[in-house]
Amino acid sequence: MTRRVRNILFIMCDQLRWDYLSCAGHPTLETPNIDRLAARGVRFDRAYVQGPVCGPSRMSYYTGRYVGSHHAIWNFVPLRVGEQTLGDYLRPLGLRVALAGKTHMEPDRPGMERLGLSPQSERGMLVAECGFEPFDRDDGIYPSLFGKRIGTKYCEYLRKRGYEADNPWHDFANSAAGPKGEILSGWSMRYARLPARVRQEDSETPYMTRRAMELIAAQGDKPWCLHLSYIKPHWPYVAPAPYNDMYDEGDILPANRVARERDDMHPVYAAYGKVRESQSFSRDEVRRTVIPTYMGLVKQVDDQLGQLFAFLEKQGRFDDTLIVFTSDHGDYLGDHWLGEKEMFHDVSSKVPMIVYDPDPAADATRGTVDRSLVEAIDLVPTFIEAVGGTPPRHILEGRSLLPLLRGARPASWREAVFSELDYSFREPRLFLDLPVDACRAIMVRDARWKYLHFDGFRPMLFDLEDDPAELVDLGADPAHAKVRDDLAGRIFTWLARLQTRETTPHAAAEGWVEKANKGGILIGQW
Amino acid sequence: MTRRVRNILFIMCDQLRWDYLSCAGHPTLETPNIDRLAARGVRFDRAYVQGPVCGPSRMSYYTGRYVGSHHAIWNFVPLRVGEQTLGDYLRPLGLRVALAGKTHMEPDRPGMERLGLSPQSERGMLVAECGFEPFDRDDGIYPSLFGKRIGTKYCEYLRKRGYEADNPWHDFANSAAGPKGEILSGWSMRYARLPARVRQEDSETPYMTRRAMELIAAQGDKPWCLHLSYIKPHWPYVAPAPYNDMYDEGDILPANRVARERDDMHPVYAAYGKVRESQSFSRDEVRRTVIPTYMGLVKQVDDQLGQLFAFLEKQGRFDDTLIVFTSDHGDYLGDHWLGEKEMFHDVSSKVPMIVYDPDPAADATRGTVDRSLVEAIDLVPTFIEAVGGTPPRHILEGRSLLPLLRGARPASWREAVFSELDYSFREPRLFLDLPVDACRAIMVRDARWKYLHFDGFRPMLFDLEDDPAELVDLGADPAHAKVRDDLAGRIFTWLARLQTRETTPHAAAEGWVEKANKGGILIGQW
């Protein structure tokens, strides 16, 4: 039997909630192209990221390891030199492994220098880019307001198209125009409904889609893994016409929040409620202004994927390409009185996860919804296995999804997923007056419960069967003490089983006794 | 005030129990030279290693990090490329950091190759030697019986001295002679009382002591950190004359074991009881034969240290050298029906720890016994601080002992120590029919209790106040459920607080909110 999968198209949105797709049940946001991918593949309905923040989540996607193992525990915490990534696994299998878009990778520069790795060398460049050839890296957020000229490929492109500015990303793609032509910065959410100062085709999502097509076309029949990583619908919440005006407040979902969530609020949750984005999104005016544009940005992604999929079809790539569509985390958008992400409610920690497998072995599962507990770290082993490699189980902590995709129900599957947060960088630490070493939180979610461990504070607990909207925190309820103990035990076991032997394959441990005896290490011989 | 400490002499024995020194109370083994060091410094009476096995223990000593952080979790599990060690910290402070003796370091060769680090380059050599310049590396165990010629400096030395063999380490230094001159291998403990086939001055301990003196003399006034790391009294239990015959069975301590330890024995403990070394040491004949020689080997170390200390005195090095005397773990020698180490009774996990600090600030503590809970990982920050550096607390997990040495009682000190084991390589895993991923054990010891967590099995518990000999396992006693819960909670907290931000100093987290606002990341602004 010949292997069908030769290429991998790993599509990621940034900050796309699991439920903002029509195939996931959104009542007013139509995403027909993503839905069609789901109809040809499997939609995993319980997929969780390993940390609901860009950097740590992505490093888990790229390393196949929990945040507690790769240690890039928040944005701007560099990934330690020596951590292996997707590129380290797929390149030796003959694939070009390239990036179009965002990774949020922060290189471990002191570590590289210590080991003599120059970022200018090919090896050093790959280490600095967490294994991706940066065909077009664009992390998408260029906040500098200090007049520094931004030199990304996208900014160069904008300038070539006539959008001249030191920071055209900000001044054109992520700002609107006022009545007198003045720049209204997208950093202020009040302008979200105004159109961006770029034409639709020059905005970020279409630009990056075209870049992906260029690479795929140039690659011809040579195998590739392309990480197409859109920055949108991440803030600044600014969309070009017509997407800024495609939805209005009548189209948005009501906020999933109730007053009683604020009674006896968990201290860390309460601290997150105090940050600016939570305060803003707790106001209806903000939701009414921002969410229609957020929806427009998702719609734009869907339209662009329609073009990309048509292109792939024409190139014959649907026959030999495994395609994943996912996100790095969600967006509270005012649910639970919060903005942004970081905390662990489903709107933040759960993501869309659609996998299309061209192999005929996957025909039986096409169009199905799989409710297995899936983690972001499952993609690396899935990719390796799909192109014929063997996932190194002494390093990777995820499980290949191929058996699920190909209808071979594994004898056992994981019983819980885990996600982590270190909030030491953020305001909540200051509100709570904590040292930076005491800001770790860990989520475990099993078939029924979601339990959140907070260092130094009581846990939170949700019954996802009785309370799927996660409105009732049972973390201090005496009737649930036993459930909490059991779930804390799950976290204990998980912590104690994080990989600790990355330099030694299992076989070396398994074969040691025989080897030592043969080698003449005769300990205890009389 | 001028800083007095310019040099560091870091002396380690291998497999030396905490209680086989006269200053620690051994009734028949006199160690006057080590005792004199204790009289000039501080003897820490509750010092624990982070893993009672050579490799993991040493990697904790050299990295200043728990085994669960550095991941060299058993012998022959390479230390991941990128882990920083003593040399990385002390060399930039101007010290030559060199090794005479054993480290048990196993380089991460695939990791080095991946990053383009050649073991032939200086940088690569230091990575491969966990940061030590291998002035004379000798790991001491050369078991190969297949006629491979051993080429260590010590073996070359032996050959020069007329001990000609492919493996003179084995054939001369660690074997005895039979009545017809035949080689009686030290691998068989029955020959322990016979003298080694080398003269005393050509055996391992004096050889390495002389090497240390050569380096120190050559260094003159240039600052250095020397790791003098003796292989003895580690097996093969063979001593040169007169040390083979210095003690007899009348001098040995009675075995610390009672029949009731075998009632309702913990499964992992029971499995360790079945291995060859435990079976052997459970026989009185073995103890009577081996322990006198073990004592002789300790005595030889003490005699050699007497010479070394006299040399240091003459060179003026007692004025400016911080001296540590310790061990990488103990030796059961039949206590608790076990041989070797690995399990967590004090004879295995607790070590001698004597620190001499030449600074006058330490005068008040000279000759004292400090009962603070101390860990092997405390040495790296102690050394850094002693020579004027700042221990990086986002990487290191130990605490500098300088405040204790200099009589400034810190406001708080740790309340518990931790030690770890992964027995996946060993027979007990086979006896218990476990997968290699389920063989982790974790010890916590606080002021009163010692609690052992075993993945998949009940815990063990000892009350060190009521039962300092650790003969009564309370791990299944219903009356102690609450104590066990509390101690399991300590391990949980410890696991959840292992370092996860090694690439980012605390200040970066502490300063982030201000930096982000200044930089124009205006999340949630209306």
Side-chain angles (χ1 to χ4, degrees), chain A residues 63-272:
Chain A
T63 61
R65 288 153 56 81
Y66 289 108
V67 177
S69 290
H70 65 62
H71 290 195
I73 200 156
W74 204 69
N75 294 335
F76 315 108
V77 173
L79 184 70
R80 288 182 297 180
V81 66
E83 273 290 324
Q84 292 182 76
T85 55
L86 197 47
D88 291 305
Y89 302 118
L90 296 186
R91 211 163 271 120
L93 297 171
L95 282 76
R96 179 180 181 187
V97 181
L99 166 72
K102 167 169 173 169
T103 59
H104 220 296
M105 170 66 181
E106 183 75 21
D108 176 7
R109 290 180 214 281
M112 291 178 66
E113 198 181 320
R114 211 166 53 237
L115 300 178
L117 273 167
S118 160
Q120 270 72 53
S121 70
E122 191 185 328
R123 204 189 301 261
M125 180 268 289
L126 290 175
V127 167
E129 296 287 352
C130 63
F132 292 109
E133 170 201 332
F135 174 72
D136 195 334
R137 175 168 175 180
D138 199 314
D139 272 12
I141 310 295
Y142 301 98
S144 171
L145 305 175
F146 305 125
K148 218 173 97 187
R149 192 171 167 90
I150 310 296
T152 64
K153 288 175 183 166
Y154 176 59
C155 283
E156 293 305 329
Y157 165 83
L158 286 177
R159 287 190 196 103
K160 265 188 219 148
R161 298 281 287 172
Y163 306 102
E164 187 53 50
D166 280 342
N167 188 348
W169 172 87
H170 174 267
D171 293 359
F172 292 98
N174 287 279
S175 287
K180 294 167 192 163
E182 72 273 28
I183 294 174
L184 302 177
S185 170
W187 286 111
S188 290
M189 297 193 292
R190 64 174 69 240
Y191 306 127
R193 298 298 305 279
L194 298 173
R197 293 180 71 218
V198 287
R199 288 178 291 277
Q200 193 282 131
E201 64 269 28
D202 294 328
S203 63
E204 294 166 281
T205 301
Y207 167 83
M208 210 51 85
T209 306
R210 289 193 301 272
R211 294 292 284 155
M213 291 191 276
E214 284 168 34
L215 183 134
I216 294 167
Q219 199 64 7
D221 282 330
K222 286 172 288 179
W224 48 268
C225 167
L226 174 64
H227 183 34
L228 169 57
S229 186
Y230 295 118
I231 180 64
K232 294 300 180 190
H234 192 287
W235 45 257
Y237 301 107
V238 175
Y243 294 101
N244 69 304
D245 201 29
M246 210 169 262
Y247 301 94
D248 65 27
E249 55 188 80
D251 296 314
I252 72 175
L253 297 172
N256 177 32
R257 63 189 179 206
V258 292
R260 75 167 270 192
E261 284 181 287
R262 291 171 148 177
D263 302 341
D264 188 27
M265 211 172 187
H266 186 281
V268 179
Y269 176 28
Y272 266 96

Side-chain angles (χ1 to χ4, degrees), chain A residues 71 78 114 123 146 188-189 276 280 436 440 455 496-497 499-503 523-526, chain B residues 71 78 114 123 146 188-190 276 280 436 440 455 496-497 499-503 518 523-525:
Chain A
H71 290 195
R114 211 166 53 237
R123 204 189 301 261
F146 305 125
S188 290
M189 297 193 292
R276 185 170 52 198
S280 289
V436 295
R440 195 164 175 193
D455 192 357
R497 285 190 176 181
Q499 291 293 14
T500 46
R501 218 186 309 108
E502 296 92 341
T503 54
I523 308 171
Q525 177 177 269
W526 176 242
Chain B
H71 290 195
R114 211 165 54 237
R123 205 189 300 263
F146 305 125
S188 290
M189 297 192 292
R190 65 174 70 240
R276 184 172 50 198
S280 290
V436 293
R440 195 164 175 194
D455 193 357
R497 284 190 176 180
Q499 292 292 13
T500 47
R501 219 189 306 108
E502 296 93 340
T503 54
K518 272 195 189 159
I523 308 171
Q525 176 177 271

Side-chain angles (χ1 to χ4, degrees), chain B residues 17 73 117 173 179 194 215 236 245 267 393-394:
Chain B
R17 285 165 57 128
I73 200 155
L117 273 167
L194 299 174
L215 183 133
D245 201 28
R393 61 189 176 115
H394 61 296

Side-chain angles (χ1 to χ4, degrees), chain A residues 405-432:
Chain A
L405 293 168
R406 296 180 181 175
R409 305 306 303 180
S412 70
W413 190 252
R414 71 165 61 84
E415 293 179 358
V417 293
F418 298 87
S419 193
E420 295 171 76
L421 172 65
D422 177 338
Y423 58 97
S424 57
F425 285 68
R426 298 294 317 277
E427 291 95 332
R429 180 181 72 79
L430 303 175
F431 299 152
L432 296 165

Side-chain angles (χ1 to χ4, degrees), chain B residues 492-515:
Chain B
F492 184 114
T493 302
W494 172 78
L495 281 168
R497 284 190 176 180
L498 287 173
Q499 292 292 13
T500 47
R501 219 189 306 108
E502 296 93 340
T503 54
T504 304
H506 286 31
E510 284 157 0
W512 179 253
V513 170
E514 200 186 338
K515 188 178 165 188

Side-chain angles (χ1 to χ4, degrees), chain A residues 293-410:
Chain A
T293 293
Y294 179 85
M295 291 168 67
L297 291 167
V298 178
K299 182 70 178 172
Q300 188 186 22
V301 167
D302 187 73
D303 284 346
Q304 287 299 311
L305 288 179
Q307 298 201 20
L308 177 64
F309 294 156
F311 161 85
L312 290 174
E313 201 68 86
K314 213 168 128 193
Q315 300 265 326
R317 291 284 84 91
F318 262 94
D319 296 337
D320 60 7
T321 304
L322 184 96
I323 305 176
V324 167
F325 176 79
T326 188
S327 176
D328 61 347
H329 54 73
D331 192 330
Y332 274 102
L333 296 174
D335 289 351
H336 310 289
W337 310 100
L338 298 176
E340 280 276 278
K341 53 256 180 180
E342 306 218 2
M343 290 289 282
F344 298 102
H345 297 88
D346 270 8
V347 292
S348 172
S349 63
K350 183 171 150 175
V351 288
M353 179 69 77
I354 296 166
V355 186
Y356 163 75
D357 176 358
D359 200 288
D363 287 350
T365 64
R366 299 196 191 285
T368 60
V369 176
D370 190 316
R371 306 213 74 203
S372 305
L373 288 166
V374 161
E375 297 182 298
I377 55 177
D378 295 340
L379 292 186
V380 169
T382 302
F383 294 164
I384 296 172
E385 198 170 79
V387 296
T390 303
R393 62 191 174 114
H394 61 297
I395 306 173
L396 303 182
E397 295 174 306
R399 291 187 62 164
S400 168
L401 300 174
L402 279 199
L404 301 181
L405 293 168
R406 296 180 181 175
R409 305 306 303 180

Side-chain angles (χ1 to χ4, degrees), chain B residues 99-170:
Chain B
L99 166 72
K102 166 168 173 169
T103 60
H104 220 294
M105 170 66 182
E106 184 74 23
D108 175 8
R109 290 179 214 282
M112 290 179 65
E113 196 180 321
R114 211 165 54 237
L115 300 178
L117 273 167
S118 160
Q120 270 71 53
S121 69
E122 191 185 327
R123 205 189 300 263
M125 179 269 287
L126 290 175
V127 168
E129 296 288 351
C130 64
F132 292 109
E133 170 201 332
F135 174 72
D136 194 334
R137 176 169 174 179
D138 198 313
D139 272 12
I141 309 296
Y142 302 97
S144 172
L145 305 176
F146 305 125
K148 216 171 99 188
R149 192 171 168 88
I150 309 296
T152 63
K153 289 175 183 166
Y154 177 59
C155 283
E156 292 306 329
Y157 165 84
L158 287 177
R159 286 189 197 105
K160 265 187 221 149
R161 299 279 289 172
Y163 306 102
E164 188 51 51
D166 281 341
N167 189 348
W169 171 87
H170 174 267

